[in-house]
Amino acid sequence: MDQVIALQCVLCGRRYAPAEARYTCPSCGDAGILDVVYDYDVVRARLDRHLLSRNPERTMWRYAPLLPVEDILQGSPLTVGWTPLYRGTRLAEALGLPCLDLWIKDDGRNPSASLKDRASAVALVRAREEQAPVIAAASTGNAASSLACLCASVGQRCIIFVPQTAPPAKVAQLLIFGAQVLLVKGSYDDAFDLCMEACRAYGWYNRNTAVNPYMSEGKKTVALEVCEQLRWEAPDIILVPVGDGCIIGGVGKAVRDLLALGWIERAPRIIGVQSEGSAVLATAWQKGTEEIVPVPPTTLADSISVAQPRDAIKALRAVRDTGGEFVTVSDEEILAAMRLLGQTMGVFAEPAGAASVAGLIKMAGLGKLGADGRIVALVTGNGLKDVASALKAVPEPVRVEPSLEAVRRVLEVGS
């Protein structure tokens, strides 16, 4: 893994060799989240845009020289990454911005129907390189089902901690994939803390967001793909749903990598979208601080429902360093975005996945998008993960008697 120079603490700036710091900064403790530092000369020697254009590998592993792994063959045989980037012409027209160059990145097309597969793919490789008998994770659902899915594909044991309020569809995924599931009688933060304690006690490989510095490296591949799919012409704006902050931190890391390699000429503005009922990072950004004040979350968007974001610093810096901003949206705006996205583009997003589109709609209404910019919204999870919430976004279907006359009456009322 000679492309990795060091792991650098985001708090104190101290650097460690990968063997010296497995998870967080030894000096700063759990708050000292580490960032992977690359030798870009080594990366350039193994990877360039011309090589990528000829690479038949259509997964996230096409960027392997820019990832902190040695042997991708240790990973899952499932196809993770290279998800579709759809042009959002009809959605732009619905927003009253027909000249907007709008794109939707549908990461609900990954094996477990979530962007989190990208992080789990890296976790699986690293855990197996370390010959770890167990991988553990805490999650509101998506990271857990992602890890369970990929582990099942290679027979790797995993233990999952989820709050008992997790949507049944996500718990069903975990059980189908054969994970050992522990429903925690408490919040996501309670599940996270318990998982951390268990990993320390039993020596399990810890896949948890932020604590494991390699997770944002997997998630950054979504932004690498976006720029490659746009022929290395970076968008003006990337909108990202935000809970713990790991995805948006990964997007920020991708931008830094691409600028350092000279593959894009400018950084897109990164826009973080949070639910009004779980807006700790948006509040910190508005105050101009990196100090986080936890607030109990109240939102139906379970995947971004977090009281204490674990990757806060990387998230805040991704936004600030690119001249971006945070936008907050209500649950009602999220449900409306789910409906509009489905009806204009045929993309079914779970509430958290549609939060980026809700932010897009809000910014359009405030006149913050311009008329003709290039904008990408990340959809991070599929709507089948939370059907109960999806049903709140749409009216009840019409019930009819089994007769053509009944159909005629319905059609006349609707015309």
Side-chain angles (χ1 to χ4, degrees):
M1 206 167 64
D2 57 346
Q3 72 271 32
V4 175
I5 297 175
L7 301 175
Q8 184 169 11
C9 178
V10 299
L11 287 181
C12 69
R14 187 172 301 178
R15 288 189 174 191
Y16 302 92
E20 294 178 316
R22 193 181 189 197
Y23 296 122
T24 55
C25 175
S27 298
C28 299
D30 286 348
I33 305 303
L34 299 175
D35 187 37
V36 180
V37 181
Y38 292 94
D39 184 332
Y40 290 114
D41 290 333
V42 172
V43 174
R44 286 190 195 94
R46 297 171 182 170
L47 188 68
D48 62 36
R49 294 188 301 182
H50 301 296
L51 285 174
L52 278 170
S53 67
R54 299 192 297 270
N55 189 347
E57 177 70 43
R58 289 296 184 263
T59 73
M60 61 177 277
W61 297 122
R62 64 193 285 108
Y63 309 110
L66 195 51
L67 292 170
V69 295
E70 294 181 6
D71 183 7
I72 63 173
L73 296 179
Q74 293 272 13
S76 170
L78 300 177
T79 300
V80 178
W82 204 249
T83 54
L85 183 69
Y86 298 126
R87 187 183 291 274
T89 302
R90 294 189 66 242
L91 178 55
E93 290 172 350
L95 297 177
L97 297 169
C99 295
L100 195 67
D101 189 13
L102 177 61
W103 299 82
I104 299 295
K105 179 68 166 171
D106 185 9
D107 244 44
R109 297 285 294 275
N110 277 306
S112 80
S114 166
L115 184 149
K116 304 291 180 68
D117 289 349
R118 298 174 183 273
S120 293
V122 171
L124 180 60
V125 172
R126 291 201 56 83
R128 287 166 68 83
E129 287 176 346
E130 294 183 18
Q131 298 181 329
V134 174
I135 308 176
S139 169
T140 55
N142 277 340
S145 57
S146 166
L147 180 62
C149 173
L150 270 62
C151 283
S153 71
V154 296
Q156 170 71 48
R157 185 184 178 201
C158 67
I159 297 177
I160 305 297
F161 297 77
V162 293
Q164 63 181 357
T165 55
K170 295 180 180 179
V171 176
Q173 275 190 299
L174 294 171
L175 298 173
I176 284 291
F177 294 139
Q180 185 169 350
V181 180
L182 301 177
L183 291 178
V184 178
K185 297 177 181 179
S187 67
Y188 162 70
D189 298 278
D190 293 326
F192 188 99
D193 292 339
L194 182 57
C195 181
M196 291 284 291
E197 187 178 355
C199 284
R200 285 190 287 263
Y202 296 107
W204 298 336
Y205 187 84
N206 190 335
R207 181 244 181 263
N208 280 334
T209 292
V211 171
N212 189 321
Y214 303 111
M215 298 303 92
S216 59
E217 298 301 308
K219 292 179 182 180
K220 79 180 180 185
T221 59
V222 69
L224 300 179
E225 287 176 17
V226 164
C227 289
E228 183 177 2
Q229 289 168 324
L230 293 176
R231 301 181 185 275
W232 304 111
E233 294 181 9
D236 299 298
I237 289 174
I238 299 179
L239 292 111
V240 188
V242 180
D244 249 333
C246 191
I247 292 177
I248 197 168
V251 171
K253 182 59 175 296
V255 169
R256 298 202 308 274
D257 285 345
L258 292 171
L259 288 171
L261 291 167
W263 291 3
I264 60 173
E265 295 181 357
R266 56 181 174 77
R269 294 180 63 220
I270 299 176
I271 308 296
V273 184
Q274 289 207 288
S275 165
E276 290 175 353
S278 183
V280 173
L281 287 170
T283 300
W285 175 80
Q286 290 166 353
K287 292 180 177 178
T289 181
E290 290 183 346
E291 184 177 347
I292 301 302
V293 180
V295 177
T298 55
T299 176
L300 60 76
D302 67 286
S303 292
I304 54 173
S305 179
V306 178
Q308 183 173 343
R310 308 290 172 158
D311 217 353
I313 292 178
K314 287 182 183 178
L316 290 166
R317 291 178 184 175
V319 170
R320 289 183 179 136
D321 291 349
T322 61
E325 62 183 280
F326 275 90
V327 176
T328 59
V329 293
S330 67
D331 282 358
E332 291 73 23
E333 288 170 322
I334 289 172
L335 292 173
M338 291 172 64
R339 185 169 59 249
L340 185 62
L341 181 63
Q343 294 176 359
T344 60
M345 296 196 60
V347 174
F348 187 16
E350 68 169 323
S356 58
V357 178
L360 170 77
I361 295 169
K362 191 157 197 175
M363 292 183 73
L366 295 172
K368 289 187 172 183
L369 296 182
D372 57 358
R374 172 174 280 183
I375 297 174
V376 174
L378 302 186
V379 172
T380 52
N382 187 276
L384 289 174
K385 287 178 168 281
D386 190 355
V387 173
S389 291
L391 290 173
K392 296 177 183 177
V394 293
E396 287 280 340
V398 177
R399 302 179 188 277
V400 300
E401 297 295 327
S403 71
L404 188 59
E405 177 60 23
V407 173
R408 183 186 64 79
R409 286 197 299 269
V410 170
L411 295 178
E412 287 178 351
V413 171
S415 62

